[in-house]
Amino acid sequence: MSEFALQIDNLKKTYKGGTIALKGISLKVKQGDFYALLGPNGAGKSSTIGIIGTLVTKTSGQVKIFDIDTDKDVATAKLLLGVVSQEINFSQFEKVIDIVTTQAGFYGIKKSLAKPKVETMLRRLGLWDKRNDQARTLSGGYKRRLMIAKALIHEPKLLILDEPTAGVDIELRREMWDFLKEINANGTTIILTTHYLEEAEQLCKNIGIIDHGEIVVDTSMKDLLRKLDVQGFVLDLEEPLDNEPKIDGYNLRLDDPLTLVTSVNKDKSINKLFNELNKIGIKVKSMRNESNRLEELFIETIKNKHE
Amino acid sequence: MNKDLKLNIGITLWTLTSKEIRRFMRIWVQTLVPPAVTMTLYFVIFGSLIGPRIGEMDGFDYVQFMIPGLIMMSVITGSYANVVSSFYSVKFQKSIEELLISPMPNWVILLGFILGGVTRGILVGIIVFIVSLFFYPEFQIANIGLTITVLLLTSVLFALMGFINAVFADSFDDISVIPTFVLTPLIYLGGVFYSINILPDFWRSISMANPMLYVVNTFREGMLGISDVSISFSLSMIVLFIFLFSSFSLYLLHKGIGIRE
Ligand SMILES: Nc1ncnc2c1ncn2[C@@H]1O[C@H](COP(=O)(O)OP(=O)(O)OP(=O)(O)O)[C@@H](O)[C@H]1O
Ligand SMILES: [Mg+2]
């Protein structure tokens, strides 16, 4: 058994119109990993996934799925791979159950064997009651579920999801998270792209950031979060202020008369800030973390690379 | 991990073929009824009303002469239309990704679509033949073996052409241009309604360059036992073109032209 579920080596992609989508990315994802691939719009995430699933032809480079080179034995590689594309890609006029059963057939699964599998999968994803509905009548969230059911029907060992929770409501998103965690716990390696950094933080062990067709960060989530040396705090004040106070060593900003925002370096104590504020008669009612730390880091990283 | 990493090709092929058949059966009003209606009109107008005034064509009643031609016309249109519209809409709806992501080899994908088109072509051919029996109940097929062979080969050939058309099509217009401006005129002028023996020499020579003439006449040889062309030549040409078109289709699939970005 191979150590890596996915190995990408020096992958390049130039589209017909001349757009260079990938400038030679290399990436390794360990078996059993839950890997987040992040990056701004147009960074090359979907292009990478498209190439892995052979929906997009590569310009050069190598892709291996569980050590199987997709140029050498694509059929075996594909048996191990499941992909949930960013865009809906099923026939709108077919019934939900037919779509999933047909997909099983495309993987060579006999109908008698596929039937119970399809039922389990549809039940698991809450699609069973809608099994006889035409796919086009499903709501967006259910269409996503159908995409996932389709990708999992042959029990792939590597599952890649391209923005599976885009446009999905909070409840369903949490459900999907639980579902993905469970699949991962059962041994499926998962790679996921998302624009919700909270999602990556919640789910993923390792993380890669891609920008302008290059991998700019490839590390573990823990290390990445540790690197965050600045933490933002939002302080709700008891009494309104006209101007932000000036305190040495701290960067303070008044969002509105009752809200003070600050970022504190890891090596500085937040206690000291409270003391200083106290001294000048500013009372803090409550305090919370500012936005998502990962988000800040993400924006920092991308910015730094292009300055 | 290596539980059973062997692909059962037979199942994948059957899945795709039966999906294709399900598709045209689901929309039977668009796929199976129109040829029956159109051909009934042809039989009524040209067979029953005008036919008796035309008299004989190559020694056969005019209705009888028309039957093989009209069947061929329906088979050609049916198998071509099925593949071109099915494969184009699979492309258009992106559900082609379901096939590309799967481990199915290209030749199975091609064969699945072709078999779908062939099934529709043959089914339509049978329907038109049944319709024709209402107008000429005493019809006898001269050479069953040849009839079936030509029926099969023709529907394979035109299903392949429909496939190639769909690969290059970028809009719904593109899938109707060739059937309307190329196929239909060639079929009408390809000896469906007349024997080229009635044409002046000049037009007869020109007609000889029309590939439909060979298809229609070979089928007429099978059904009636007469033909304007050499059967062995026609059959070899049909087989040759099937070979060329299927190689070209496989090449297109391999290169991902019109299919993969
Ligand atoms: N079919 C195509 N033809 C030409 N250029 C393309 C095609 N698909 C993508 N591109 C270009 O390749 C680059 C990378 O696109 P890609 O879809 O991989 O980005 P992404 O990271 O998935 O973005 P998003 O977060 O918006 O989904 C972009 O500049 C895009 O415009
Ligand atoms: Mg994308």
Side-chain angles (χ1 to χ4, degrees):
Chain A
M1 207 179 332
S2 83
E3 186 190 353
F4 296 103
L6 177 72
Q7 287 160 275
I8 292 177
D9 191 37
N10 201 17
L11 194 63
K12 293 185 184 163
K13 174 65 188 178
T14 306
Y15 282 102
K16 251 191 233 108
T19 310
I20 301 174
L22 300 174
K23 296 174 184 160
I25 63 166
S26 298
L27 195 65
K28 283 182 177 173
V29 177
K30 280 220 173 82
Q31 200 169 157
D33 201 353
F34 204 137
Y35 191 94
L37 190 60
L38 307 182
N41 288 137
K45 303 179 296 294
S46 298
S47 302
T48 308
I49 293 173
I51 292 172
I52 298 168
T54 73
L55 303 177
V56 175
T57 52
K58 59 184 196 283
T59 306
S60 66
Q62 192 184 43
V63 176
K64 281 184 180 173
I65 295 169
F66 293 96
D67 273 344
I68 301 161
D69 189 332
T70 53
D71 284 334
K72 294 200 179 112
D73 185 2
V74 73
T76 310
K78 282 170 162 183
L79 280 170
L80 294 165
L81 173 72
V83 173
V84 178
S85 292
Q86 184 171 6
E87 282 169 57
I88 300 300
N89 66 3
F90 43 74
S91 163
Q92 301 277 339
F93 298 99
E94 283 192 69
K95 286 193 279 181
V96 169
I97 193 164
D98 290 343
I99 290 175
V100 183
T101 311
T102 302
Q103 193 67 35
F106 289 160
Y107 284 90
I109 302 169
K110 245 194 286 185
K111 209 159 189 178
S112 56
L113 259 168
K115 247 181 125 179
K117 273 184 204 277
V118 171
E119 176 167 350
T120 312
M121 188 59 69
L122 292 184
R123 284 191 189 280
R124 182 70 187 83
L125 284 161
L127 279 164
W128 184 245
D129 290 342
K130 302 185 185 293
R131 64 188 177 280
N132 288 318
D133 292 2
Q134 264 193 20
R136 69 190 168 89
T137 66
L138 296 178
S139 75
Y142 279 91
K143 283 183 178 157
R144 284 269 147 232
R145 296 184 196 206
L146 176 54
M147 295 281 288
I148 295 178
K150 228 171 44 148
L152 281 173
I153 196 63
H154 62 292
E155 298 168 33
K157 300 301 290 172
L158 170 62
L159 175 67
I160 305 184
L161 308 105
D162 199 352
E163 296 188 32
T165 55
V168 163
D169 72 27
I170 299 171
E171 196 188 330
L172 178 54
R173 186 175 307 162
R174 305 245 163 213
E175 258 177 53
M176 276 193 191
W177 288 358
D178 290 341
F179 182 66
L180 294 177
K181 274 183 197 163
E182 186 189 311
I183 294 175
N184 179 242
N186 290 338
T188 308
T189 310
I190 300 184
I191 300 175
L192 149 143
T193 79
T194 178
H195 289 291
Y196 304 108
L197 295 156
E198 186 203 352
E199 183 164 281
E201 196 173 347
Q202 283 274 335
L203 294 172
C204 300
K205 291 179 207 140
N206 289 296
I207 182 168
I209 298 181
I210 180 170
D211 186 31
H212 285 81
E214 287 172 300
I215 299 275
V216 291
V217 172
D218 182 9
T219 177
S220 76
M221 189 66 78
K222 262 195 212 135
D223 278 351
L224 189 72
L225 292 175
R226 206 177 294 138
K227 265 196 219 130
L228 294 173
D229 44 3
V230 182
Q231 169 70 318
F233 292 103
V234 179
L235 310 177
D236 297 314
L237 308 177
E238 296 216 323
E239 281 153 22
L241 291 178
D242 292 335
N243 293 310
E244 56 234 345
K246 297 255 180 299
I247 295 172
D248 256 4
Y250 293 93
N251 195 353
L252 297 168
R253 190 181 85 237
L254 205 55
D255 254 15
D256 62 64
L258 280 171
T259 316
L260 196 59
V261 182
T262 182
S263 32
V264 177
N265 261 21
K266 244 197 181 156
D267 52 358
K268 285 221 179 80
S269 137
I270 184 103
N271 247 334
K272 197 171 155 239
L273 175 65
F274 282 127
N275 289 338
E276 295 292 326
L277 284 173
N278 230 344
K279 267 187 220 159
I280 52 174
I282 296 172
K283 295 222 169 65
V284 176
K285 197 160 71 183
S286 63
M287 180 193 83
R288 60 199 147 87
N289 281 1
E290 188 194 40
S291 69
N292 189 309
R293 297 180 299 150
L294 196 57
E295 226 148 82
E296 289 161 32
L297 179 87
F298 180 73
I299 289 161
E300 280 299 304
T301 313
I302 304 280
K303 222 168 42 196
N304 289 343
K305 295 284 166 181
H306 294 284
E307 269 167 12
Chain B
M1 186 185 92
N2 286 312
K3 28 179 191 180
D4 185 19
L5 284 181
K6 259 193 73 68
L7 180 65
N8 189 325
I9 297 277
I11 292 175
T12 62
L13 178 61
W14 171 243
T15 304
L16 180 54
T17 308
S18 57
K19 175 175 184 254
E20 282 302 292
I21 294 173
R22 244 194 355 258
R23 189 196 72 96
F24 76 70
M25 291 301 240
R26 188 174 56 218
I27 47 171
W28 57 277
V29 177
Q30 297 170 45
T31 54
L32 302 180
V33 176
V37 173
T38 320
M39 294 309 149
T40 305
L41 289 171
Y42 277 121
F43 284 125
V44 170
I45 296 169
F46 294 100
S48 307
L49 300 177
I50 300 178
R53 297 186 181 209
I54 296 174
E56 290 194 342
M57 185 74 72
D58 275 0
F60 289 88
D61 284 344
Y62 188 58
V63 182
Q64 201 182 357
F65 180 85
M66 265 182 24
I67 290 172
L70 291 181
I71 292 177
M72 260 305 99
M73 184 153 128
S74 319
V75 170
I76 289 172
T77 323
S79 45
Y80 190 95
N82 198 66
V83 182
V84 78
S85 54
S86 177
F87 194 70
Y88 180 69
S89 55
V90 159
K91 252 173 66 166
F92 182 75
Q93 296 192 45
K94 278 177 164 286
S95 63
I96 188 157
E97 291 189 2
E98 295 179 340
L99 295 166
L100 299 181
I101 200 82
S102 82
M104 288 167 94
N106 289 336
W107 66 266
V108 175
I109 296 180
L110 179 64
L111 189 56
F113 279 95
I114 299 310
L115 289 177
V118 168
T119 311
R120 170 155 153 205
I122 290 177
L123 206 55
V124 165
I126 292 171
I127 291 173
V128 174
F129 182 56
I130 292 170
V131 167
S132 74
L133 290 179
F134 285 100
F135 296 88
Y136 201 85
E138 55 270 39
F139 194 94
Q140 295 273 334
I141 297 175
N143 182 341
I144 295 257
L146 182 63
T147 302
I148 292 174
T149 308
V150 180
L151 189 63
L152 272 174
L153 290 178
T154 307
S155 41
V156 171
L157 179 65
F158 287 92
L160 279 166
M161 288 167 68
F163 184 84
I164 294 169
N165 187 167
V167 165
F168 287 107
D170 269 329
S171 69
F172 279 100
D173 285 347
D174 293 347
I175 67 172
S176 63
V177 164
I178 294 191
T180 311
F181 295 104
V182 182
L183 280 189
T184 310
L186 286 181
I187 295 172
Y188 274 74
L189 301 173
V192 169
F193 298 101
Y194 53 81
S195 158
I196 56 166
N197 291 328
I198 68 169
L199 297 177
D201 280 350
F202 174 72
W203 290 108
R204 186 174 347 163
S205 311
I206 296 226
S207 293
M208 295 300 275
N210 180 355
M212 298 297 174
L213 185 77
Y214 298 88
V215 176
V216 170
N217 270 284
T218 316
F219 193 64
R220 187 169 282 132
E221 172 76 32
M223 290 197 87
L224 294 177
I226 51 151
S227 161
D228 291 346
V229 300
S230 148
I231 299 307
S232 52
F233 172 74
S234 309
L235 283 179
S236 6
M237 288 310 273
I238 295 176
V239 172
L240 175 69
F241 275 98
I242 287 178
F243 174 77
L244 290 178
F245 287 152
S246 38
S247 311
F248 185 50
S249 302
L250 285 174
Y251 169 80
L252 292 174
L253 278 170
H254 177 70
K255 286 278 165 195
I257 292 167
I259 294 160
R260 293 181 162 97
E261 302 287 354

